[in-house]
Amino acid sequence: MRSFRRVIERGSFSRAAEELGLSSAGLGKQIRWLEERLGTVLIQRTTRRMGLTEMGRAYYEECCRILDELDEVERSISADAAHVSGRLRVNAPLSFGLTVLSPILPDFMASYPDLKIDLTLADHLLDVVGAGFDVSIRVRSELADSSLIARKLADVDQVICAAPAYLERRGTPLSLDDLHRHDCLAYTLADNPGAWHLKGPRGETSIAVPARLSANNSIMLCDMLLAGMGIGALPSFIAKPQIDSGALVTVLTDHEFPQRHVYAVYPTSRHLQRKVRVFLDFLADTFEACL
């Protein structure tokens, strides 16, 4: 089971065999024995690629759960149960990682010097199980149904803002209808990048946004707003420092987006690995102070 899991997480028999201290032939023999024992094909292999079958994916998820539980039980009864070590594989959105995680990770790593962190930043959603992540940070208004466990860590507001120079040049919008006379910047990974769904004095409404520039990264959008390119919506963890400094100002403050949340998602496990638990607890405590 451990060999099978390592093959899937590394995406290669040769890389998995090297880490396990086995030959590729010996590792292949283990997987064939496992498939024969189960009476089903787990991995589809060709000369160029490999992939999980439907039964293989189901078996992989259960392997991860069982092995993680076994590791946690053994750690909990060992003499060094309080010791945190190993490798923690984390996925987070690029903008969130650079602006929020980057400043706080040194403190966490200093607290656990024997723990190694493998951090992957990407704004598009990655397969937590298939990619072998221990935990994925997601900033969403809501999560899609999933077999993953989710823990809400913090709330994040979305604010509409622009540079003072742009507003002096083009005027300040006083209503949503005024946006049609402005240059707007859109986030292409939003649920509906062509429209803003807002709640205002007259209830909820959706308005088409005439985007002059669209980008899939909030830091890029912030830079464009600072350059006076238009009006856009930014998550509060990016917008707040610029608003506090006066580089950006909020507009249409009587309208708000649905609140977004910072979630940590991770594979199902009754016995959450200690390295994941201490990381999530650290994030929850830190986010309470900085978000």
Side-chain angles (χ1 to χ4, degrees):
M1 289 172 68
R2 292 189 187 279
S3 296
F4 171 68
R5 178 179 184 177
R6 189 67 59 87
V7 168
I8 302 309
E9 292 179 348
R10 295 299 173 260
S12 164
F13 273 80
S14 59
R15 287 197 294 269
E18 182 179 355
E19 292 185 10
L20 292 168
L22 301 171
S23 67
S24 294
L27 180 57
K29 186 176 180 180
Q30 285 192 21
I31 302 304
R32 286 194 299 275
W33 177 87
L34 183 61
E35 291 177 324
E36 290 172 3
R37 182 173 181 274
L38 295 172
T40 188
V41 175
L42 300 174
I43 303 175
Q44 293 283 11
R45 285 158 280 189
T46 68
T47 56
R48 293 188 176 183
R49 64 184 301 273
M50 54 168 278
L52 284 171
T53 64
E54 183 178 354
M55 291 301 297
R57 179 165 294 280
Y59 187 70
Y60 169 76
E61 292 178 358
E62 285 301 303
C63 280
C64 292
R65 181 185 63 80
I66 292 169
L67 292 172
D68 288 346
E69 288 186 6
L70 177 60
D71 290 342
E72 184 64 21
V73 169
E74 291 180 347
R75 277 191 295 270
S76 69
I77 62 176
S78 67
D80 61 344
H83 186 65
V84 178
S85 61
R87 184 177 300 276
L88 180 68
R89 301 196 68 223
V90 180
N91 160 238
L94 177 60
S95 299
F96 188 84
L98 293 176
T99 58
V100 178
L101 290 184
S102 185
I104 65 176
L105 271 182
D107 286 343
F108 176 74
M109 297 182 72
S111 299
Y112 302 99
D114 293 328
L115 181 65
K116 299 177 177 63
I117 294 182
D118 184 350
L119 178 62
T120 298
L121 300 179
D123 281 328
H124 57 282
L125 294 182
L126 300 179
D127 182 356
V128 176
V129 174
F133 291 115
D134 295 301
V135 60
S136 178
I137 306 300
R138 296 180 178 175
V139 184
R140 316 286 293 181
S141 55
E142 59 183 26
L143 292 176
D145 290 339
S146 169
S147 60
L148 301 173
I149 302 297
R151 175 177 171 181
K152 192 176 84 167
L153 300 175
D155 297 322
V156 174
D157 294 323
Q158 192 87 342
V159 295
I160 306 172
C161 51
Y166 172 84
L167 297 177
E168 290 175 8
R169 188 172 71 251
R170 299 288 298 274
T172 300
L174 301 178
S175 70
L176 295 182
D177 290 337
D178 290 343
L179 289 176
H180 293 293
R181 296 188 290 274
H182 283 270
D183 295 329
C184 294
L185 311 185
Y187 180 58
T188 55
L189 296 181
D191 293 336
N192 186 353
W196 288 348
H197 184 72
L198 299 162
K199 183 177 181 181
R202 297 181 181 179
E204 297 184 0
T205 184
S206 290
I207 181 169
V209 178
R212 185 184 179 196
L213 180 144
S214 300
N216 65 352
N217 181 270
S218 295
I219 294 178
M220 172 73 174
L221 290 179
C222 182
D223 287 343
M224 295 300 100
L225 291 173
L226 291 170
M229 296 298 293
I231 296 174
L234 294 174
S236 54
F237 57 82
I238 292 179
K240 188 177 185 302
Q242 306 300 337
I243 293 171
D244 289 345
S245 71
L248 294 176
V249 295
T250 56
V251 297
L252 298 170
T253 54
D254 56 346
H255 290 79
E256 59 184 20
F257 286 85
Q259 191 169 58
R260 303 170 81 191
H261 312 284
V262 181
Y263 294 99
V265 298
Y266 46 91
T268 304
S269 175
R270 263 183 316 181
H271 299 283
L272 186 62
Q273 295 183 75
R274 181 170 173 78
K275 63 182 179 181
V276 176
R277 183 183 299 113
V278 297
F279 182 62
L280 298 187
D281 289 345
F282 170 81
L283 293 183
D285 292 342
T286 308
F287 290 169
E288 186 175 354
C290 71
L291 287 181

